[in-house]
């Protein structure tokens, strides 16, 4: 949009790093309220995308930086809380699985975002005319996801706090080991 070269563009998007770093510090302080942290983060991402969709070639760089900071602050709030939520909902011996699932979900979301953006962009004559509608579309999708997070879509029933944990009793000398069983007790 601004006609920057690759190197200048790389420097121009550096505010993304700063917004994420500051927001992650806040996210750790509010870790006891994951739904609120994730909801706030997703809302910031969606609103930032909607705001960035209004930027054009004549938009001052400082205004664009503000929208980048809003988007990156949202990512900085939501990503750690989502990762911690996935990893801590599983038994310790499955933390690697949880981390892998979280990463897969994040990558799948990114791929879907690129696919939606590309689809909207392809319906327009050029990048300049298609970027605003593409960012608005993705922003609305993120805000819809925010509503689902805040309202608790897929909320677990009372008493179901995590996944079932495998239990195993250590056998006494000469005793045959019992097979692993799944407890009805759930982890936090």
């Amino acid at each position: 949009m601004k006609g920057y070269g690759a190197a200048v563009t790389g420097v121009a998007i550096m505010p993304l790093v700063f917004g994420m770093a500051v927001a992650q510090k806040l996210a750790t302080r509010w870790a006891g309220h994951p739904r609120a942290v994730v909801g706030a983060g997703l809302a910031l991402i969606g609103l930032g995308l909607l705001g960035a969709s209004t930027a054009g070639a004549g938009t001052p760089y400082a205004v664009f930086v503000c929208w980048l900071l809003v988007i990156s602050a949202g990512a900085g709030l939501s990503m750690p809380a989502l990762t911690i939520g996935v990893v801590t909902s599983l038994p310790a011996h499955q933390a690697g699985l949880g981390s892998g699932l979280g990463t897969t979900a994040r990558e799948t979301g990114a791929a879907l975002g690129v696919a939606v953006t590309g689809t909207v962009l392809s319906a327009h004559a050029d990048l300049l005319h298609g970027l605003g509608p593409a960012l608005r579309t993705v922003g609305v999708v993120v805000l819809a996801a925010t509503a689902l997070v805040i309202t608790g879509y897929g909320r677990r029933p009372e008493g179901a706090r995590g996944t079932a944990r495998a239990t195993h009793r250590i056998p006494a000398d000469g005793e045959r080991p019992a097979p692993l069983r799944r407890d009805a007790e759930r982890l936090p």
Side-chain angles (χ1 to χ4, degrees):
M1 276 194 294
K2 292 272 196 201
Y4 294 158
V8 174
T9 300
V11 172
I13 63 171
M14 284 300 291
L16 286 171
V17 175
F18 301 118
M20 289 180 97
V22 170
Q24 286 178 358
K25 296 278 186 194
L26 293 173
T28 57
R29 289 183 185 161
W30 301 327
H33 308 285
R35 185 179 308 276
V37 172
V38 172
L42 289 175
L44 285 173
I45 292 170
L47 293 172
L49 288 168
L50 290 176
S53 74
T54 65
T59 304
Y61 174 69
V63 172
F64 188 67
V65 166
C66 289
W67 293 121
L68 285 179
L69 288 171
V70 170
I71 294 166
S72 63
L77 279 176
S78 59
M79 280 199 251
L82 288 169
T83 301
I84 289 169
V86 169
V87 172
T88 60
S89 69
L90 295 170
H93 70 278
Q94 292 182 328
L97 172 67
S99 177
L101 288 172
T103 300
T104 300
R106 187 171 42 249
E107 294 297 328
T108 302
L112 288 172
V114 169
V116 168
T117 303
T119 301
V120 174
L121 281 172
S122 69
H124 293 83
D126 59 10
L127 178 67
L128 187 59
H129 292 98
L131 191 57
L135 289 174
R136 278 190 290 280
T137 302
V138 175
V140 168
V141 169
V142 171
L143 289 174
T146 303
L148 293 175
V149 167
I150 291 171
T151 60
Y153 177 76
R155 185 177 289 181
R156 291 175 266 184
E158 275 308 306
R161 299 174 11 214
T163 60
R165 111 178 74 185
T167 60
H168 183 69
R169 187 178 70 78
I170 299 173
D173 287 338
E175 187 179 339
R176 225 175 118 165
L180 287 177
R181 63 181 171 77
R182 304 298 270 186
D183 276 345
E185 175 69 25
R186 304 287 180 156
L187 292 176

